[in-house]
Amino acid sequence: MKMLAIESTCDETAAAVVENFGEGVRVINSVVASSVEMHEKYGGIVPEVAAREQIKSIIPVITEAMNGENIDAVAVSYGPGLMGSLLVGVESAKVLAWVWKKPLLKVNHMAAHVMANWIVEKTQKIENSKTQSTGVPKLPAVGLVVSGGHTDLILMESLTKWTWIGGTRDDAAGEAFDKAARILGLPYPGGPEIDRAANKVTNEEWDKYKNLFKLPRPLIHDPRLEMSFSGIKAAVARMVENRSQFSEANPQISEESFRNLVAREFSQAVSEVLVKKTMLAVEQFKPKSVLLAGGVAANKKLRETLRQEIAMAGLSFFVPELKYCGDNAAMVGASALLRPEESEMDLRPDPSLAVV
Ligand code: KG4
Ligand code: ZN
């Protein structure tokens, strides 16, 4: 079965054609247009601007993704996300499904992030500490979904039976990255900027100065699968406020090094909390695999740390290729093919849809 999938929940306009491939999904075409630069000068997303850009991009993006393919159904993300942005994708999908007389499938955007782990491509690396097997995740699995608006731990007993088992009580992990970046004077979106800054610190520099850059790890010793990230961000703000005193005491640390060192400690603190809570879920639910997904899954520290911990626990670890971590439509198609939810033609966006 071949699926046209459409994604327009936030500031990316994306379309893809995907098809079943073994137990997974193969991507035929995937196109992503982003309005992120337009939001940079405001330090965050301006919903009206995002919606206007969605309208401009949607037809060219779908046309490019279709590229003459014949499809059997149309899938679209209908939430969570921004109402104005969501409407563009949902209405386009409805019109296409109606005109082409094809089924319309509705997709939960957060579930789609998780389903990106079923995209099977030659280049995809699938790590298994024992067998180095390739294929799709074995269930039951624990999923950690980390994006700009959500941070959730889920237990996946089958492709359709998912239970929410934990998450953040305040900021989402991606939101914390974006806010911390803003405090550090880095552009929006902050996650990739902090990641880059953090990776500029050499191990030697880190060993020398790490004691000067301690940030909290909220709730890390709490046995519940509950997380909190707003405190780490507040501690970054205090560090930056006290910067001049810090410079007097440590004149050898340049402004740029200061920023990179804070970024490294911040990435480390957020990753440690996420990894600790995921490992708690592993102990509790004894899954066969652990899946990482969402925009923050692109973070180097997080990918590496979680991969190592999961390998030590003898489980399989899955994380999408970088291009399928952030918002894209291939993941939407994967979700529609493997856990289809057919929709009526009166589908409406649901901006506050939860992952399960
Ligand atoms: O999943 P996504 O593309 O959109 C939402 O559904 O929210 O996630 C976007 C989030 C942003 O907060 C962005 O800063 C963060 O993912 N992000 C990262 C990295 N790349 C993107 N956070 C940390 N490290 C990264 N490399
Ligand atoms: Zn997303």
Side-chain angles (χ1 to χ4, degrees):
M1 172 131 163
K2 241 183 229 178
M3 179 81 62
L4 166 66
I6 298 172
E7 156 62 40
S8 76
T9 53
C10 192
D11 57 350
E12 265 88 29
T13 314
V17 175
V18 301
E19 67 179 356
N20 298 89
F21 187 71
E23 286 177 272
V25 165
R26 190 175 77 92
V27 179
I28 298 170
N29 295 313
S30 173
V31 182
V32 182
S34 175
S35 65
V36 71
E37 321 79 59
M38 314 208 53
H39 306 288
E40 229 179 273
K41 61 174 180 265
Y42 304 105
I45 291 173
V46 186
E48 289 78 6
V49 176
R52 203 159 50 228
E53 292 305 307
Q54 292 282 359
I55 293 172
K56 278 196 217 158
S57 307
I58 193 85
I59 306 259
V61 165
I62 292 175
T63 308
E64 192 181 335
M66 283 294 287
N67 194 30
E69 296 288 340
N70 286 315
I71 51 101
D72 305 297
V74 180
V76 64
S77 294
Y78 72 109
L82 302 168
M83 188 49 149
S85 290
L86 282 164
L87 270 170
V88 178
V90 168
E91 292 305 314
S92 308
K94 274 155 67 171
V95 169
L96 291 175
W98 186 75
V99 171
W100 292 337
K101 299 194 174 38
K102 302 289 181 196
L104 175 68
L105 291 111
K106 59 177 186 176
V107 173
N108 178 321
H109 173 84
M110 296 312 294
H113 271 301
V114 177
M115 295 308 294
N117 282 297
W118 270 259
I119 296 174
V120 182
E121 283 189 311
K122 283 192 288 296
T123 50
Q124 189 189 19
K125 273 203 233 80
I126 295 166
E127 315 261 331
N128 180 311
S129 57
K130 287 180 195 141
T131 59
Q132 284 290 328
S133 67
T134 54
V136 299
K138 293 253 182 319
L139 301 179
V142 160
L144 172 65
V145 206
V146 272
S147 76
H150 296 80
T151 295
D152 297 300
L153 273 166
I154 52 168
L155 175 66
M156 305 161 70
E157 287 167 85
S158 72
L159 280 175
T160 49
K161 188 165 183 241
W162 295 12
T163 319
W164 184 91
I165 52 173
T168 180
R169 58 153 83 144
D170 42 55
D171 292 352
E175 187 182 355
F177 269 98
D178 295 337
K179 288 179 178 167
R182 195 173 181 165
I183 295 165
L184 289 171
L186 294 166
Y188 177 85
E193 294 288 336
I194 292 208
D195 202 1
R196 251 192 303 278
N199 289 314
K200 282 186 192 155
V201 179
T202 61
N203 287 337
E204 197 185 0
E205 201 183 358
W206 182 241
D207 286 340
K208 203 155 143 201
Y209 297 125
K210 64 183 176 199
N211 291 334
L212 301 172
F213 291 87
K214 280 278 167 241
L215 289 171
R217 273 79 168 145
L219 299 178
I220 201 158
H221 299 300
D222 188 302
R224 291 169 299 174
L225 298 176
E226 196 171 320
M227 298 169 237
S228 165
F229 297 106
S230 66
I232 313 184
K233 168 201 72 192
V236 170
R238 276 195 299 279
M239 258 183 198
V240 171
E241 275 161 27
N242 297 331
R243 162 98 177 99
S244 50
Q245 277 158 280
F246 180 90
S247 305
E248 275 170 34
N250 303 281
Q252 76 285 13
I253 299 178
S254 71
E255 197 165 329
E256 199 199 333
S257 295
F258 175 85
R259 200 157 67 183
N260 297 345
L261 287 156
V262 177
R264 171 140 179 181
E265 169 65 2
F266 180 83
S267 275
Q268 180 122 5
V270 172
S271 301
E272 274 176 32
V273 172
L274 289 168
V275 170
K276 181 72 194 290
K277 297 294 172 175
T278 307
M279 297 317 290
L280 269 182
V282 165
E283 272 169 39
Q284 216 170 314
F285 296 100
K286 316 238 177 308
K288 289 186 179 145
S289 345
V290 174
L291 322 181
L292 178 61
V296 184
N299 187 269
K300 197 165 171 233
K301 190 97 221 157
L302 178 59
R303 291 168 83 97
E304 282 173 2
T305 325
L306 196 53
R307 174 169 286 146
Q308 280 166 8
E309 290 285 326
I310 302 299
M312 279 199 293
L315 304 175
S316 305
F317 175 65
F318 290 80
V319 58
E321 263 189 85
L322 283 182
K323 65 182 173 195
Y324 301 129
C325 284
D327 289 349
N328 66 89
M331 67 182 193
V332 175
S335 190
L337 284 173
L338 300 175
R339 47 192 324 262
E341 270 190 280
E342 204 156 325
S343 165
E344 299 297 325
M345 279 298 167
D346 62 356
L347 179 65
R348 302 277 308 152
D350 185 349
S352 50
L353 190 65
V355 62
V356 279

Short mmCIF file of all heavy atoms in Angstrom, two decimals, residues 301-351:
data_model
loop_
_atom_site.label_atom_id
_atom_site.label_comp_id
_atom_site.label_asym_id
_atom_site.label_seq_id
_atom_site.Cartn_x
_atom_site.Cartn_y
_atom_site.Cartn_z
N LYS A 301 24.34 14.17 22.75
CA LYS A 301 24.57 13.67 24.11
C LYS A 301 23.48 12.65 24.49
O LYS A 301 23.77 11.58 25.02
CB LYS A 301 24.53 14.85 25.09
CG LYS A 301 24.97 14.49 26.47
CD LYS A 301 26.40 14.86 26.66
CE LYS A 301 27.12 13.78 27.43
NZ LYS A 301 28.54 13.83 27.19
N LEU A 302 22.23 13.02 24.21
CA LEU A 302 21.11 12.16 24.58
C LEU A 302 21.16 10.82 23.82
O LEU A 302 21.03 9.75 24.42
CB LEU A 302 19.79 12.88 24.31
CG LEU A 302 18.52 12.09 24.59
CD1 LEU A 302 18.45 11.65 26.05
CD2 LEU A 302 17.28 12.90 24.23
N ARG A 303 21.37 10.89 22.52
CA ARG A 303 21.45 9.66 21.71
C ARG A 303 22.54 8.74 22.23
O ARG A 303 22.34 7.55 22.41
CB ARG A 303 21.75 9.99 20.25
CG ARG A 303 20.65 10.68 19.50
CD ARG A 303 21.16 11.23 18.18
NE ARG A 303 21.20 10.24 17.11
CZ ARG A 303 20.24 10.11 16.20
NH1 ARG A 303 19.19 10.88 16.23
NH2 ARG A 303 20.35 9.20 15.25
N GLU A 304 23.72 9.36 22.48
CA GLU A 304 24.87 8.53 22.88
C GLU A 304 24.68 7.92 24.26
O GLU A 304 24.94 6.74 24.47
CB GLU A 304 26.15 9.37 22.86
CG GLU A 304 26.67 9.57 21.46
CD GLU A 304 27.84 10.54 21.38
OE1 GLU A 304 28.28 11.04 22.45
OE2 GLU A 304 28.29 10.80 20.25
N THR A 305 24.23 8.76 25.20
CA THR A 305 24.10 8.26 26.57
C THR A 305 23.04 7.16 26.65
O THR A 305 23.26 6.12 27.27
CB THR A 305 23.72 9.40 27.55
OG1 THR A 305 24.35 10.59 27.12
CG2 THR A 305 24.11 9.09 28.96
N LEU A 306 21.90 7.40 26.00
CA LEU A 306 20.83 6.40 26.07
C LEU A 306 21.26 5.10 25.37
O LEU A 306 21.03 4.01 25.88
CB LEU A 306 19.56 6.97 25.45
CG LEU A 306 18.27 6.23 25.78
CD1 LEU A 306 18.08 6.08 27.28
CD2 LEU A 306 17.06 6.96 25.19
N ARG A 307 21.93 5.25 24.23
CA ARG A 307 22.41 4.07 23.50
C ARG A 307 23.30 3.20 24.38
O ARG A 307 23.13 1.99 24.47
CB ARG A 307 23.17 4.53 22.25
CG ARG A 307 23.85 3.42 21.49
CD ARG A 307 24.34 3.90 20.16
NE ARG A 307 23.23 4.08 19.25
CZ ARG A 307 23.15 5.02 18.30
NH1 ARG A 307 24.14 5.86 18.14
NH2 ARG A 307 22.11 5.09 17.53
N GLN A 308 24.23 3.87 25.10
CA GLN A 308 25.15 3.11 25.97
C GLN A 308 24.41 2.40 27.10
O GLN A 308 24.65 1.23 27.37
CB GLN A 308 26.16 4.07 26.61
CG GLN A 308 27.30 4.43 25.67
CD GLN A 308 28.09 5.62 26.18
OE1 GLN A 308 27.89 6.08 27.31
NE2 GLN A 308 28.98 6.14 25.35
N GLU A 309 23.50 3.13 27.75
CA GLU A 309 22.77 2.54 28.88
C GLU A 309 21.92 1.36 28.43
O GLU A 309 21.85 0.34 29.11
CB GLU A 309 21.84 3.60 29.50
CG GLU A 309 22.59 4.69 30.25
CD GLU A 309 23.11 4.22 31.59
OE1 GLU A 309 22.44 3.39 32.23
OE2 GLU A 309 24.19 4.70 31.99
N ILE A 310 21.27 1.50 27.29
CA ILE A 310 20.39 0.43 26.80
C ILE A 310 21.22 -0.78 26.40
O ILE A 310 20.84 -1.92 26.65
CB ILE A 310 19.54 0.92 25.59
CG1 ILE A 310 18.70 2.13 25.98
CG2 ILE A 310 18.66 -0.20 25.04
CD1 ILE A 310 17.70 1.91 27.07
N ALA A 311 22.40 -0.53 25.81
CA ALA A 311 23.28 -1.64 25.44
C ALA A 311 23.71 -2.39 26.69
O ALA A 311 23.73 -3.62 26.72
CB ALA A 311 24.49 -1.10 24.67
N MET A 312 24.02 -1.63 27.75
CA MET A 312 24.44 -2.29 29.00
C MET A 312 23.32 -3.14 29.59
O MET A 312 23.58 -4.15 30.22
CB MET A 312 24.92 -1.25 30.00
CG MET A 312 26.35 -0.82 29.71
SD MET A 312 27.15 -0.05 31.10
CE MET A 312 26.26 1.42 31.31
N ALA A 313 22.09 -2.71 29.36
CA ALA A 313 20.94 -3.47 29.88
C ALA A 313 20.59 -4.65 28.96
O ALA A 313 19.68 -5.42 29.24
CB ALA A 313 19.74 -2.54 30.03
N GLY A 314 21.33 -4.77 27.83
CA GLY A 314 21.12 -5.91 26.91
C GLY A 314 19.86 -5.80 26.06
O GLY A 314 19.35 -6.81 25.57
N LEU A 315 19.36 -4.57 25.87
CA LEU A 315 18.15 -4.40 25.06
C LEU A 315 18.48 -3.75 23.72
O LEU A 315 19.58 -3.23 23.53
CB LEU A 315 17.16 -3.49 25.81
CG LEU A 315 16.75 -3.92 27.21
CD1 LEU A 315 15.87 -2.86 27.84
CD2 LEU A 315 16.00 -5.25 27.16
N SER A 316 17.50 -3.76 22.81
CA SER A 316 17.70 -3.10 21.52
C SER A 316 17.33 -1.63 21.67
O SER A 316 16.32 -1.30 22.30
CB SER A 316 16.79 -3.69 20.45
OG SER A 316 16.99 -5.07 20.38
N PHE A 317 18.13 -0.78 21.03
CA PHE A 317 17.87 0.66 21.07
C PHE A 317 17.59 1.16 19.66
O PHE A 317 18.33 0.84 18.74
CB PHE A 317 19.08 1.38 21.66
CG PHE A 317 18.94 2.87 21.62
CD1 PHE A 317 17.97 3.51 22.36
CD2 PHE A 317 19.79 3.65 20.84
CE1 PHE A 317 17.83 4.88 22.33
CE2 PHE A 317 19.67 5.03 20.80
CZ PHE A 317 18.67 5.65 21.55
N PHE A 318 16.54 1.93 19.52
CA PHE A 318 16.18 2.48 18.21
C PHE A 318 16.05 4.00 18.31
O PHE A 318 15.44 4.51 19.23
CB PHE A 318 14.84 1.93 17.73
CG PHE A 318 14.90 0.48 17.36
CD1 PHE A 318 14.85 -0.50 18.33
CD2 PHE A 318 14.99 0.10 16.03
CE1 PHE A 318 14.90 -1.84 17.99
CE2 PHE A 318 15.04 -1.24 15.69
CZ PHE A 318 15.00 -2.22 16.66
N VAL A 319 16.62 4.68 17.33
CA VAL A 319 16.41 6.12 17.21
C VAL A 319 16.36 6.42 15.72
O VAL A 319 17.13 5.85 14.95
CB VAL A 319 17.53 6.92 17.95
CG1 VAL A 319 18.91 6.61 17.45
CG2 VAL A 319 17.26 8.42 17.90
N PRO A 320 15.44 7.28 15.27
CA PRO A 320 15.36 7.52 13.82
C PRO A 320 16.62 8.22 13.31
O PRO A 320 17.33 8.87 14.08
CB PRO A 320 14.15 8.45 13.67
CG PRO A 320 13.39 8.32 14.95
CD PRO A 320 14.40 7.99 16.01
N GLU A 321 16.84 8.09 12.02
CA GLU A 321 17.88 8.89 11.37
C GLU A 321 17.59 10.35 11.68
O GLU A 321 16.42 10.71 11.82
CB GLU A 321 17.75 8.71 9.87
CG GLU A 321 18.65 7.71 9.27
CD GLU A 321 18.54 7.82 7.76
OE1 GLU A 321 19.23 8.66 7.17
OE2 GLU A 321 17.74 7.07 7.19
N LEU A 322 18.64 11.19 11.67
CA LEU A 322 18.44 12.60 12.03
C LEU A 322 17.31 13.26 11.25
O LEU A 322 16.50 13.98 11.80
CB LEU A 322 19.73 13.38 11.81
CG LEU A 322 20.80 13.18 12.89
CD1 LEU A 322 22.02 14.04 12.58
CD2 LEU A 322 20.26 13.53 14.27
N LYS A 323 17.22 12.96 9.94
CA LYS A 323 16.20 13.65 9.12
C LYS A 323 14.78 13.24 9.48
O LYS A 323 13.83 13.93 9.11
CB LYS A 323 16.47 13.43 7.63
CG LYS A 323 16.34 12.02 7.17
CD LYS A 323 16.66 11.90 5.68
CE LYS A 323 16.70 10.45 5.28
NZ LYS A 323 17.30 10.15 4.03
N TYR A 324 14.62 12.14 10.22
CA TYR A 324 13.28 11.73 10.65
C TYR A 324 13.04 11.97 12.15
O TYR A 324 12.07 11.48 12.71
CB TYR A 324 13.02 10.27 10.29
CG TYR A 324 13.12 10.00 8.80
CD1 TYR A 324 13.91 8.97 8.30
CD2 TYR A 324 12.42 10.79 7.89
CE1 TYR A 324 14.01 8.73 6.94
CE2 TYR A 324 12.51 10.57 6.53
CZ TYR A 324 13.31 9.54 6.06
OH TYR A 324 13.39 9.32 4.71
N CYS A 325 13.97 12.70 12.81
CA CYS A 325 13.75 13.06 14.22
C CYS A 325 12.85 14.28 14.32
O CYS A 325 11.86 14.29 15.02
CB CYS A 325 15.08 13.34 14.93
SG CYS A 325 15.99 11.85 15.32
N GLY A 326 13.21 15.35 13.60
CA GLY A 326 12.38 16.56 13.58
C GLY A 326 11.12 16.31 12.77
O GLY A 326 10.91 15.21 12.24
N ASP A 327 10.28 17.33 12.66
CA ASP A 327 9.00 17.14 11.98
C ASP A 327 9.19 16.79 10.50
O ASP A 327 9.95 17.44 9.79
CB ASP A 327 8.14 18.40 12.13
CG ASP A 327 7.64 18.55 13.55
OD1 ASP A 327 7.79 17.58 14.33
OD2 ASP A 327 7.11 19.62 13.88
N ASN A 328 8.49 15.75 10.05
CA ASN A 328 8.56 15.30 8.66
C ASN A 328 7.28 14.52 8.38
O ASN A 328 6.53 14.19 9.30
CB ASN A 328 9.81 14.42 8.46
CG ASN A 328 9.72 13.13 9.24
OD1 ASN A 328 9.22 12.13 8.75
ND2 ASN A 328 10.15 13.13 10.50
N ALA A 329 7.03 14.22 7.11
CA ALA A 329 5.77 13.52 6.79
C ALA A 329 5.97 12.01 6.64
O ALA A 329 5.01 11.25 6.70
CB ALA A 329 5.16 14.10 5.53
N ALA A 330 7.23 11.57 6.48
CA ALA A 330 7.47 10.13 6.34
C ALA A 330 6.99 9.40 7.59
O ALA A 330 6.38 8.33 7.51
CB ALA A 330 8.96 9.88 6.10
N MET A 331 7.23 10.03 8.75
CA MET A 331 6.79 9.40 10.01
C MET A 331 5.26 9.33 10.08
O MET A 331 4.70 8.40 10.65
CB MET A 331 7.37 10.15 11.21
CG MET A 331 6.83 11.56 11.40
SD MET A 331 7.61 12.41 12.80
CE MET A 331 6.50 13.83 12.98
N VAL A 332 4.61 10.32 9.49
CA VAL A 332 3.14 10.36 9.48
C VAL A 332 2.62 9.21 8.63
O VAL A 332 1.68 8.49 9.01
CB VAL A 332 2.65 11.73 8.95
CG1 VAL A 332 1.13 11.76 8.83
CG2 VAL A 332 3.15 12.86 9.83
N GLY A 333 3.29 8.98 7.50
CA GLY A 333 2.93 7.86 6.64
C GLY A 333 3.18 6.53 7.32
O GLY A 333 2.37 5.60 7.22
N ALA A 334 4.29 6.44 8.05
CA ALA A 334 4.61 5.19 8.76
C ALA A 334 3.51 4.87 9.77
O ALA A 334 3.05 3.73 9.87
CB ALA A 334 5.96 5.32 9.47
N SER A 335 3.08 5.88 10.49
CA SER A 335 2.04 5.69 11.49
C SER A 335 0.73 5.26 10.81
O SER A 335 0.05 4.34 11.27
CB SER A 335 1.86 6.99 12.28
OG SER A 335 1.02 6.78 13.37
N ALA A 336 0.39 5.92 9.71
CA ALA A 336 -0.87 5.61 9.02
C ALA A 336 -0.86 4.20 8.44
O ALA A 336 -1.88 3.51 8.42
CB ALA A 336 -1.12 6.64 7.93
N LEU A 337 0.30 3.73 7.98
CA LEU A 337 0.36 2.38 7.39
C LEU A 337 0.33 1.30 8.46
O LEU A 337 -0.28 0.25 8.27
CB LEU A 337 1.65 2.22 6.57
CG LEU A 337 1.68 2.88 5.20
CD1 LEU A 337 3.07 2.77 4.60
CD2 LEU A 337 0.64 2.26 4.26
N LEU A 338 0.98 1.56 9.60
CA LEU A 338 1.16 0.48 10.57
C LEU A 338 0.16 0.51 11.72
O LEU A 338 -0.04 -0.50 12.39
CB LEU A 338 2.59 0.52 11.12
CG LEU A 338 3.67 0.33 10.05
CD1 LEU A 338 5.06 0.50 10.65
CD2 LEU A 338 3.56 -1.03 9.37
N ARG A 339 -0.45 1.65 11.98
CA ARG A 339 -1.53 1.70 12.98
C ARG A 339 -2.64 2.61 12.45
O ARG A 339 -2.90 3.68 12.98
CB ARG A 339 -1.00 2.14 14.36
CG ARG A 339 -0.11 3.36 14.32
CD ARG A 339 0.65 3.65 15.60
NE ARG A 339 0.03 3.38 16.85
CZ ARG A 339 -0.59 4.29 17.62
NH1 ARG A 339 -0.72 5.53 17.22
NH2 ARG A 339 -1.07 3.94 18.79
N PRO A 340 -3.28 2.15 11.35
CA PRO A 340 -4.23 3.03 10.64
C PRO A 340 -5.46 3.39 11.46
O PRO A 340 -6.00 2.57 12.18
CB PRO A 340 -4.64 2.17 9.43
CG PRO A 340 -4.30 0.78 9.79
CD PRO A 340 -3.16 0.82 10.74
N GLU A 341 -5.82 4.65 11.33
CA GLU A 341 -7.05 5.15 11.95
C GLU A 341 -7.81 5.88 10.86
O GLU A 341 -7.47 7.02 10.51
CB GLU A 341 -6.70 6.20 13.02
CG GLU A 341 -6.48 5.65 14.40
CD GLU A 341 -6.39 6.82 15.39
OE1 GLU A 341 -5.31 7.43 15.48
OE2 GLU A 341 -7.40 7.12 16.04
N GLU A 342 -8.80 5.22 10.30
CA GLU A 342 -9.51 5.86 9.20
C GLU A 342 -10.38 7.00 9.73
O GLU A 342 -10.86 6.95 10.86
CB GLU A 342 -10.37 4.83 8.45
CG GLU A 342 -10.62 5.31 7.03
CD GLU A 342 -10.94 4.19 6.04
OE1 GLU A 342 -10.39 3.07 6.18
OE2 GLU A 342 -11.73 4.46 5.15
N SER A 343 -10.51 8.04 8.90
CA SER A 343 -11.25 9.22 9.36
C SER A 343 -12.43 9.51 8.46
O SER A 343 -12.44 9.19 7.28
CB SER A 343 -10.30 10.41 9.36
OG SER A 343 -11.03 11.60 9.45
N GLU A 344 -13.41 10.18 9.04
CA GLU A 344 -14.52 10.73 8.26
C GLU A 344 -14.00 11.96 7.52
O GLU A 344 -12.97 12.52 7.90
CB GLU A 344 -15.67 11.15 9.18
CG GLU A 344 -16.27 10.02 10.02
CD GLU A 344 -16.92 8.95 9.15
OE1 GLU A 344 -17.50 9.31 8.11
OE2 GLU A 344 -16.81 7.76 9.51
N MET A 345 -14.75 12.40 6.52
CA MET A 345 -14.33 13.58 5.76
C MET A 345 -14.51 14.89 6.55
O MET A 345 -14.08 15.95 6.08
CB MET A 345 -15.11 13.66 4.44
CG MET A 345 -14.52 12.75 3.38
SD MET A 345 -12.83 13.22 2.95
CE MET A 345 -12.35 11.77 2.03
N ASP A 346 -15.15 14.81 7.72
CA ASP A 346 -15.32 16.05 8.49
C ASP A 346 -14.23 16.18 9.56
O ASP A 346 -14.43 16.83 10.58
CB ASP A 346 -16.72 16.12 9.12
CG ASP A 346 -16.95 14.98 10.10
OD1 ASP A 346 -16.06 14.11 10.22
OD2 ASP A 346 -18.02 14.95 10.75
N LEU A 347 -13.06 15.58 9.32
CA LEU A 347 -11.95 15.64 10.27
C LEU A 347 -11.63 17.08 10.65
O LEU A 347 -11.53 17.96 9.79
CB LEU A 347 -10.71 14.98 9.64
CG LEU A 347 -9.42 14.97 10.47
CD1 LEU A 347 -9.60 14.13 11.73
CD2 LEU A 347 -8.24 14.43 9.65
N ARG A 348 -11.45 17.31 11.96
CA ARG A 348 -11.09 18.64 12.46
C ARG A 348 -9.75 18.52 13.18
O ARG A 348 -9.50 17.50 13.83
CB ARG A 348 -12.13 19.15 13.48
CG ARG A 348 -13.55 19.24 12.95
CD ARG A 348 -13.81 20.50 12.19
NE ARG A 348 -13.44 21.71 12.92
CZ ARG A 348 -13.08 22.85 12.34
NH1 ARG A 348 -13.02 22.94 11.02
NH2 ARG A 348 -12.76 23.91 13.06
N PRO A 349 -8.91 19.56 13.12
CA PRO A 349 -7.66 19.50 13.89
C PRO A 349 -7.94 19.44 15.39
O PRO A 349 -8.96 19.96 15.84
CB PRO A 349 -6.98 20.83 13.55
CG PRO A 349 -7.63 21.33 12.32
CD PRO A 349 -9.03 20.81 12.33
N ASP A 350 -7.03 18.80 16.12
CA ASP A 350 -7.14 18.76 17.58
C ASP A 350 -5.82 19.26 18.15
O ASP A 350 -4.88 18.49 18.36
CB ASP A 350 -7.43 17.32 18.03
CG ASP A 350 -7.67 17.23 19.53
OD1 ASP A 350 -7.41 18.23 20.23
OD2 ASP A 350 -8.10 16.16 20.00
N PRO A 351 -5.71 20.59 18.40
CA PRO A 351 -4.42 21.18 18.80
C PRO A 351 -3.85 20.60 20.08
O PRO A 351 -2.64 20.63 20.28
CB PRO A 351 -4.76 22.67 19.00
CG PRO A 351 -5.98 22.90 18.19
CD PRO A 351 -6.76 21.61 18.23
#
